[in-house]
Amino acid sequence: MFSNFAFHFGRYLDLLWDSFSRPERLKIYWRETLRQMDDIGVGSLIIVAIIAVFMGAVAAVQFAYQLDGQLVPSYYIGYIVRDLAIIESAPTITCLVLAGKVGSNMASEIGGMRQKEHIDAMEIMGVNTAAFLILPKIIAAMIMIPLLVALAAGLAIVGGYMAVVIPETIPSSAYIKGLQSFFVPYNVFIMFVKAFIFAFILTTVSCYKGYYVEGGSVELGAASTQAVVVSDILILLADFLIAVVLTG
Amino acid sequence: MIRCENVKKSFGDTEVLKGITTEFEAGKCNLIIGLSGAGKTVMLKLLVGLMKQTSGTIMYDDVNFNSLGDDELRSLRMKVGMLFQGSALFDSMTVEENILFPLELFTKKTKAEMLDRVNYVLERVNLEGANQKYPSEVSGGMQKRVGIARAIVLEPKYLFCDEPNSGLDPKTSMVIDELIQSITYDNNITTVINTHDMNSVMEIGDNINLLHHGTLVWRGNKADVLTSDNEFLDNFIFASPFLQRLRNAALGRS
């Protein structure tokens, strides 16, 4: 088991090294990066927005339920939803969802190119395929995913507002007071650190799984699934380590 | 010219190529033929560097292919074109974009010069006007021709073709063969073709290498095929009774 892990980890690092080598023609890479930014960012906007709104709404309703009858002031709901969204749910849940949507798509796209000999064709032309296929995806993901995470945090707060203010569980002024209370800008820093690291993990793991796929459609499906599963596990592990390092 | 000296390739305990020594000559259509499992595809992949041999050397003219560093290898590969069995055209790109791809990456031509070159190679493969079509919108034979156009757009010194006729009807196969042959002769390219198409063997086989279970068992040209008494060649080329009768008729045998 350890030798299997060492093999994959070594090959992953090797692929990363190749991915960050000098591009043949910056213009082509830039064009590909823009295409990926559109795929990752614009393509994921709706799913991220829906999940964020519900994430905030559920958090607000459940905290309202738990705080009901307690001595804790009701405006704490806004404060808790805000910090939960910024520190944890927006970066982590958004990236877990993106690992499923974007990560599996990347693994399938690159794996399909491997199977249809597109990667071999590029290699023979002299293209550094690791850099050409992976670097634009990493750059695009590291630009777009933090933006999606920031948007998710904002929408989660809006979702929380709608869930507790519209049914008049708490007054609007209380929720807004909660949002304005005990704000620690450092938490936004933590959110972006998580977003960058999670974006890197889900992109590189998915590309790795696709790049080295062997066999036919069954293996491609398995690689796509593994990309999501491994990315999710590593995101959760990284989440814990970041929490320990940045807030411990 | 490409020269192989005692090239061996093993996968685990299985030796797929058992010491191949041969030459692929410039300006000629060099064929690698053999039954399925003979080692043709592995041989071709070793020649283009998609696999590394277990031992032996592959020389591109005076350059030892396997001793090259990454940068030298990339610059040599710009002199290499390859036509894949499934054409390997990029689905999301039009015919024109497929052919432009290596030009944009590796040349400093202006857009107009690149488009001129694209139109020239498309004309060369008789596909004028197909620029804006997607690979899925053209036939298998046309896809092969686009593959050839892309392979020759950087004016390669070496051209590799993996089963160029697979999946094509006999008439289209002949068109592809004639195209590869004329490009080879006109540009003095070292062309290596992996095939088991008998028509190709007899039409364009300037230098034929027959592999059997990973060993080179016969080498000659299309004229030698009819007169050779090599048992492996006989079993491979004239496997069907129809072809045996045809050969006997050609040689005036009863």
Side-chain angles (χ1 to χ4, degrees):
Chain A
M1 187 181 165
F2 177 75
S3 64
N4 191 36
F5 168 77
F7 168 76
H8 283 288
F9 188 62
R11 203 165 59 157
Y12 169 79
L13 292 181
D14 199 33
L15 184 67
L16 279 188
W17 178 260
D18 287 343
S19 304
F20 285 101
S21 53
R22 184 167 45 92
E24 288 87 4
R25 186 59 61 90
L26 273 175
K27 190 178 140 197
I28 309 267
Y29 276 62
W30 176 238
R31 203 164 63 196
E32 184 60 16
T33 304
L34 289 178
R35 190 178 75 82
Q36 293 296 334
M37 284 169 74
D38 182 55
D39 270 7
I40 296 167
V42 180
S44 308
L45 210 53
I46 293 175
I47 184 77
V48 167
I50 291 170
I51 287 167
V53 168
F54 280 96
M55 202 161 63
V58 170
V61 169
Q62 291 192 346
F63 279 116
Y65 167 71
Q66 285 184 308
L67 299 181
D68 191 29
Q70 307 277 327
L71 291 175
V72 181
S74 62
Y75 74 86
Y76 262 60
I77 293 171
Y79 155 61
I80 291 169
V81 168
R82 182 200 68 206
D83 273 9
L84 180 72
I86 290 174
I87 300 174
E88 186 55 34
S89 60
T92 309
I93 294 181
T94 303
C95 288
L96 289 174
V97 169
L98 289 176
K101 188 196 173 287
V102 175
S104 68
N105 188 35
M106 285 177 183
S108 306
E109 181 188 328
I110 296 179
M113 292 182 78
R114 169 70 71 196
Q115 290 182 335
K116 288 196 250 174
E117 297 181 310
H118 292 177
I119 294 180
D120 287 349
M122 287 184 191
E123 290 274 351
I124 288 165
M125 284 175 202
V127 178
N128 176 352
T129 54
F132 183 76
L133 296 173
I134 299 174
L135 185 60
K137 289 181 171 61
I138 295 175
I139 294 171
M142 293 189 71
I143 293 170
M144 297 312 289
I145 290 179
L147 293 176
L148 286 172
V149 166
L151 178 76
L155 289 174
I157 291 167
V158 172
Y161 179 89
M162 291 192 297
V164 291
V165 173
I166 294 173
E168 297 181 343
T169 309
I170 63 168
S172 170
S173 58
Y175 190 84
I176 290 168
K177 184 184 174 191
L179 292 182
Q180 293 169 336
S181 304
F182 320 117
F183 179 67
V184 181
Y186 181 68
N187 290 345
V188 177
F189 169 74
I190 295 175
M191 178 185 79
F192 280 115
V193 168
K194 285 186 176 184
F196 278 116
I197 292 175
F198 297 167
F200 185 79
I201 289 172
L202 79 87
T203 313
T204 54
V205 168
S206 304
C207 291
Y208 170 78
K209 285 290 176 188
Y211 193 81
Y212 289 111
V213 75
E214 284 175 359
S217 54
V218 173
E219 286 78 8
L220 182 59
S224 181
T225 307
Q226 282 173 16
V228 178
V229 172
V230 176
S231 297
D232 282 353
I233 292 170
L234 291 178
I235 284 171
L236 293 171
L237 184 65
D239 189 29
F240 172 71
L241 293 175
I242 293 167
V244 169
V245 172
L246 296 183
T247 62
Chain B
M1 186 178 72
I2 299 172
R3 201 168 70 246
C4 300
E5 280 171 22
N6 201 24
V7 171
K8 293 181 182 176
K9 177 67 183 173
S10 301
F11 295 99
D13 295 336
T14 312
E15 196 172 33
V16 178
L17 292 178
K18 299 166 184 169
I20 305 288
T21 298
T22 189
E23 282 181 2
F24 302 105
E25 298 164 47
K28 288 188 176 176
C29 290
N30 302 275
L31 270 52
I32 303 172
I33 62 172
L35 299 169
S36 299
K40 305 189 296 290
T41 301
V42 172
M43 185 73 202
L44 202 71
K45 285 189 172 178
L46 293 180
L47 289 172
V48 296
L50 289 175
M51 283 182 187
K52 239 178 184 168
Q53 66 267 32
T54 312
S55 65
T57 53
I58 295 172
M59 304 288 291
Y60 273 58
D61 293 314
D62 295 326
V63 178
N64 186 339
F65 188 61
N66 302 108
S67 67
L68 299 175
D70 285 351
D71 289 342
E72 294 165 315
L73 186 61
R74 285 205 185 102
S75 78
L76 176 66
R77 277 184 165 163
M78 278 173 237
K79 296 176 191 164
V80 171
M82 181 154 180
L83 172 64
F84 284 83
Q85 188 173 353
S87 300
L89 300 176
F90 309 130
D91 315 318
S92 59
M93 297 183 189
T94 61
V95 165
E96 183 176 286
E97 288 165 343
N98 262 283
I99 303 169
L100 269 175
F101 182 77
L103 285 172
E104 285 185 324
L105 272 177
F106 299 116
T107 69
K108 290 186 173 148
K109 291 177 194 279
T110 64
K111 187 80 178 174
E113 287 170 335
M114 284 193 264
L115 286 174
D116 277 352
R117 179 71 188 155
V118 169
N119 288 329
Y120 170 77
V121 290
L122 277 176
E123 195 181 316
R124 188 73 184 78
V125 299
N126 303 318
L127 277 179
E128 304 97 319
N131 301 49
Q132 300 311 319
K133 289 190 189 307
Y134 282 90
S136 59
E137 295 172 338
V138 298
S139 67
M142 286 167 84
Q143 286 183 15
K144 295 272 183 183
R145 282 188 277 161
V146 176
I148 294 172
R150 189 177 66 183
I152 63 169
V153 75
L154 289 179
E155 301 179 70
K157 274 183 77 178
Y158 313 96
L159 177 65
F160 297 90
C161 306
D162 186 16
E163 305 277 7
N165 301 325
S166 73
L168 300 181
D169 62 82
K171 200 166 181 180
T172 310
S173 293
M174 281 169 58
V175 171
I176 298 291
D177 281 345
E178 284 166 13
L179 189 58
I180 292 171
Q181 190 180 43
S182 66
I183 287 167
T184 302
Y185 292 169
D186 293 350
N187 302 289
N188 197 36
I189 296 173
T190 304
T191 299
V192 181
I193 304 165
N194 175 3
T195 187
H196 48 225
D197 185 285
M198 286 312 108
N199 190 60
S200 301
V201 173
M202 299 311 292
E203 288 295 327
I204 62 169
D206 299 324
N207 170 24
I208 304 166
N209 297 269
L210 173 64
L211 297 187
H212 184 77
H213 290 321
T215 308
L216 182 68
V217 291
W218 184 82
R219 197 163 173 248
N221 61 37
K222 59 190 176 191
D224 300 332
V225 169
L226 285 173
T227 54
S228 168
D229 55 4
N230 183 288
E231 185 192 347
F232 295 109
L233 185 73
D234 211 47
N235 287 338
F236 177 67
I237 304 263
F238 303 104
S240 81
F242 171 71
L243 286 173
Q244 285 169 15
R245 285 199 298 274
L246 214 62
R247 177 183 56 172
N248 291 340
L251 296 176
R253 293 179 192 164
S254 57

